[in-house]
Amino acid sequence: MATSVLAIGASLGVRDLGPVDEPRFALVATQMVETGSSLFPRRGAELHPDKRLFMWISAALLSLTQNLRTAVLAPSLVSGVAYVWMNFHLGTRNGGRVRYERARWSIKRNHQCIT
């Protein structure tokens, strides 16, 4: 599990904000912190319709760390670690160590979890 956390965490320092959604999320989080209206995320004058929990976490991390990249990329790290932990917990609880090892290899084969 530690190697999975390291693999997911290493992407925070290596990659930049993605070209499609992450700069938009960073802009919304910045605007939420600057204006103080954090209940309803806005993009300009219009309401941002989706991912409110992600926006709230990003805005909270931005106000704590003052680093925009960390504030936007850290929720992905937390969700990836939670995914690995839930897989470990459910695998060992339902089928023992052998099923957990099978589930762990299925995660490692799926590159979408790590990137």
Side-chain angles (χ1 to χ4, degrees), residues 14-83:
V14 175
R15 73 191 223 13
D16 203 12
L17 298 179
V20 181
D21 289 332
E22 289 173 346
R24 181 172 45 114
F25 296 154
L27 178 65
V28 171
T30 304
Q31 190 172 10
M32 286 171 67
V33 171
E34 288 175 354
T35 62
S37 65
S38 60
L39 188 58
F40 298 108
R42 296 180 182 272
R43 185 176 50 202
E46 64 187 35
L47 287 173
H48 196 273
D50 59 341
K51 301 186 192 236
R52 288 191 179 139
L53 181 63
F54 179 80
M55 299 296 176
W56 293 333
I57 293 171
S58 296
L61 286 173
L62 181 63
S63 63
L64 287 175
T65 63
Q66 300 298 320
N67 187 351
L68 192 59
R69 275 186 71 218
T70 303
V72 174
L73 295 177
S76 299
L77 171 70
V78 172
S79 66
V81 170
Y83 175 73

